[in-house]
Amino acid sequence: MKRLLLSAVLFASLSTATQSSATTSAPYALDPAISIQRVKDVSFNITRMARRPTDGQLFYATYGGDVYKVTNGTDVVVFSTNTSPLYISELQGILFIHDTVYVSGNRSYGTSSNPFTQGVIGRGVPSGQNTWTFTIIMRTDSI
């Protein structure tokens, strides 16, 4: 019951914050035990952020398939999912388990008159300093 109530309060607060004027420039925590720290400004097409647990390094993924590492406020592209073997053109998720990275998204192919979309999950195993070797671990049927 507490979880449902908390979800309702959070949703109501987010709805109110979304509808408020554009003068609100900084996010704020609803729980006083949580602090928010600004790291940097990023582009509007970010789909997910993830922290690598082995070293605390922050990464973010863009819808177009690029994954950036944030170091001292600077972004560096470390890999792209829209190349072989993944060909994920619409990256929607990123997750680290230890140093292994998992990505998910959609692969679009076919022709404009007969397009297909396929869901893909890929696993990147470390193969050097901020490099991974990717394999597809799941793929849906084309729709």
Side-chain angles (χ1 to χ4, degrees), residues 8-137:
V9 170
L10 182 58
F11 178 76
S13 298
L14 289 175
S15 297
T16 304
T18 304
Q19 296 170 1
S20 66
S21 70
T23 58
T24 304
S25 61
Y28 61 93
L30 299 176
D31 183 342
I34 297 173
S35 64
I36 298 174
Q37 178 185 4
R38 182 187 190 111
V39 176
K40 68 178 303 328
D41 291 328
V42 292
S43 67
F44 67 92
N45 62 353
I46 289 178
T47 56
R48 295 290 182 265
M49 295 181 78
R51 189 172 294 276
R52 186 168 48 195
T54 55
D55 61 5
Q57 186 66 57
L58 181 64
F59 293 79
Y60 67 87
T62 64
Y63 187 72
D66 292 328
V67 174
Y68 293 82
K69 177 176 83 165
V70 178
T71 305
N72 298 325
T74 303
D75 303 347
V76 177
V77 177
V78 289
F79 63 86
S80 183
T81 62
N82 54 16
T83 60
S84 180
L86 301 176
Y87 296 110
I88 295 174
S89 53
E90 299 162 350
L91 183 58
Q92 298 168 353
I94 182 172
L95 167 75
F96 281 93
I97 298 178
H98 304 289
D99 281 337
T100 301
V101 62
Y102 294 86
V103 293
S104 63
N106 292 328
R107 173 192 291 183
S108 300
Y109 60 97
T111 64
S112 58
S113 61
N114 193 21
F116 295 99
T117 302
Q118 187 176 56
V120 176
I121 297 176
R123 175 179 49 225
V125 177
S127 58
Q129 182 72 17
N130 290 313
T131 59
W132 294 266
T133 300
F134 282 92
T135 55
I136 295 173
I137 59 172

